[in-house]
């Protein structure tokens, strides 16, 4: 039986290099999603006082992320 284990990246107060090429904000306006030239997708928390903090980074693309789209239910 094969088990899949997701990769998790953790960083300190500063996220890794992330040259933004695409930006999207969620409908609830609490999360910003960015795509990067380095092939990463990053999720950012947006507080009610407009403070932005890094939340998660997703690795795996071998080319730049130039477009982001929301999935519908």
């Amino acid at each position: 039986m094969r088990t899949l284990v997701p990769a998790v990246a953790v960083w300190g107060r500063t996220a890794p290099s992330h040259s933004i090429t695409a930006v999207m904000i969620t409908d609830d306006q609490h999360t910003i999603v960015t795509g990067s030239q380095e092939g990463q997708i990053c999720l950012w928390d947006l507080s009610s006082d407009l403070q932005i903090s890094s939340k998660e980074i997703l690795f795996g693309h071998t080319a730049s992320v130039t477009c982001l789209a929301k999935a519908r239910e």
Side-chain angles (χ1 to χ4, degrees):
M1 181 174 174
R2 206 165 91 176
T3 304
L4 298 176
V5 179
V8 176
V10 180
W11 61 82
R13 298 182 79 100
T14 306
S17 176
H18 186 74
S19 304
I20 295 173
T21 53
V23 177
M24 182 185 74
I25 190 164
T26 57
D27 290 335
D28 64 7
Q29 298 182 348
H30 292 293
T31 303
I32 297 171
V33 183
T34 57
S36 77
Q37 185 174 357
E38 294 82 10
Q40 308 154 353
I41 295 175
C42 194
L43 305 177
W44 307 85
D45 280 325
L46 179 60
S47 68
S48 58
D49 60 344
L50 302 180
Q51 295 294 313
I52 299 172
S53 59
S54 54
K55 181 176 171 180
E56 295 177 75
I57 192 166
L58 309 170
F59 297 94
H61 291 85
T62 56
S64 296
V65 176
T66 59
C67 182
L68 297 166
K70 295 182 253 185
R72 301 250 182 227
E73 291 183 20

